[in-house]
Amino acid sequence: MRRLLKPMNYLPPVFGPEPEAEFKTKKQAIYPAITGLDVQNPWRLLRDSEVDALTPGQISELAERFDLTLDLVRDLSRELAATLHEGSLLGAVEVEKEKAAERGSKGLLEALERSKKVSDQLNKCGNALQPLGGEFTYGAQPASDLLEVKESQQVIQRLVNALVDDLSKLSSQDQPAFVFDATDLRKVSDRRRIGVVYDCCLTWRAAGKPVTYTTTPDGSKRSTRGGPLIEFVQTIVALNVTSPNFILSADTIQKDIEAFKKLPSDAE
């Protein structure tokens, strides 16, 4: 059973094709780790020393309950450990290159406008200092201090003017800077959940079982989702991969199953 999502310790962001098969698109993206996210489910993060997400007893129980071989469930336990590894790319946030570039350009333009205002204020400061003289205090400390103030203003003015020129040149280039964070944290997807569901689907299919679910009308506009695979995923999630234990909704699992079924065979 091949992994969909391999753990990877966080490295400095590098642009390129998305590294995970199920998230393949034509866009370019990076995956920086961003703190402060409101994670949907309380996933238990595993360290390098934890190679299994499930205990031996849980593995035996799952194999018997869902008619799976012990080897398949042991493999699943290791796959889940990789998916929930604290350094997994699943814990990172996708940042699209185009959006990052757009926000970077906006930040540069803001810096340019602010530097121009500083330059303008410094110029006014220089104009105010220019007529001042120390003739009546010649040779005394105040005259010397005034001269130093004027020289300081001129030095700072030159530095700020150079900054304005550099920012202006940089802003005119194509995608000169990027902002490496999520545009809208409210839209960040729960990738650990997707990884867990996909791991379960791979195990289920490796056992020769149909990757599907049942739909039962419940008298309302919506229908109740169920079936052995959904029950299997819910059992896995409630066992040891969330802390505190959490029951994943059948509707959410159903959507992830549909996404899994659309994957090309070479992505699994």
Side-chain angles (χ1 to χ4, degrees):
M1 181 169 60
R2 294 178 57 193
R3 279 210 50 73
L4 286 169
L5 304 161
K6 297 180 180 179
M8 180 182 294
N9 291 329
Y10 177 67
L11 298 174
V14 177
F15 286 122
E18 295 186 35
E20 307 303 348
E22 66 271 40
F23 301 119
K24 279 185 177 178
T25 64
K26 294 181 180 180
K27 64 190 176 186
Q28 287 183 307
I30 59 169
Y31 296 82
I34 297 178
T35 59
L37 296 180
D38 183 16
V39 180
Q40 289 174 293
N41 303 324
W43 302 112
R44 187 169 70 89
L45 302 185
L46 280 68
R47 301 182 181 276
D48 290 336
S49 59
E50 299 177 272
V51 295
D52 282 290
L54 304 172
T55 66
Q58 290 170 337
I59 291 173
S60 298
E61 179 184 344
L62 286 167
E64 181 178 355
R65 177 176 173 181
F66 293 98
D67 191 25
L68 300 168
T69 67
L70 285 173
D71 285 343
L72 274 178
V73 184
R74 288 193 189 101
D75 286 344
L76 172 61
S77 178
R78 298 187 185 98
E79 300 296 340
L80 291 171
T83 295
L84 297 174
H85 186 273
E86 61 182 356
S88 171
L89 281 175
L90 291 177
V93 173
E94 178 186 87
V95 177
E96 294 180 30
K97 180 181 178 181
E98 292 302 320
K99 291 182 179 179
E102 180 182 343
R103 299 173 71 199
S105 296
K106 183 178 179 180
L108 270 180
L109 289 176
E110 180 181 351
L112 176 59
E113 291 304 312
R114 290 183 180 277
S115 65
K116 286 180 177 179
K117 290 179 181 179
V118 172
S119 178
D120 182 60
Q121 291 299 317
L122 280 170
N123 188 55
K124 292 179 180 179
C125 176
N127 291 338
L129 288 173
Q130 194 275 331
L132 302 182
E135 286 78 2
F136 290 102
T137 55
Y138 183 75
Q141 188 63 37
S144 177
D145 290 345
L146 178 61
L147 181 61
E148 289 184 6
V149 167
K150 286 188 173 184
E151 290 176 348
S152 295
Q153 185 277 331
Q154 292 171 3
V155 170
I156 296 173
Q157 182 79 63
R158 287 194 294 269
L159 289 173
V160 173
N161 288 345
L163 175 62
V164 171
D165 290 341
D166 290 342
L167 284 172
S168 180
K169 293 176 183 177
L170 187 60
S171 299
S172 66
Q173 298 177 21
D174 182 39
Q175 296 186 337
F178 303 88
V179 175
F180 296 123
D181 62 13
T183 305
D184 188 347
L185 297 184
R186 295 171 299 177
K187 297 180 180 179
V188 173
S189 61
D190 190 346
R191 298 189 179 197
R192 295 189 190 277
R193 185 204 76 230
I194 296 172
V196 168
V197 175
Y198 282 17
D199 286 340
C200 292
C201 287
L202 280 172
T203 298
W204 201 254
R205 188 162 65 187
K209 299 177 182 292
V211 179
T212 186
Y213 52 88
T214 60
T215 301
T216 305
D218 59 4
S220 65
K221 293 182 179 180
R222 301 183 63 183
S223 299
T224 301
R225 313 293 185 183
L229 176 54
I230 287 182
E231 182 184 354
F232 178 59
V233 175
Q234 288 179 323
T235 302
I236 291 291
V237 171
L239 272 180
N240 207 35
V241 300
T242 52
S243 180
N245 296 141
F246 177 84
I247 301 297
L248 201 57
S249 76
D251 286 341
T252 298
I253 297 172
Q254 176 261 330
K255 293 177 182 178
D256 290 340
I257 290 175
E258 285 299 322
F260 173 83
K261 290 164 66 176
K262 294 177 182 178
L263 287 177
S265 58
D266 61 353
E268 298 168 14

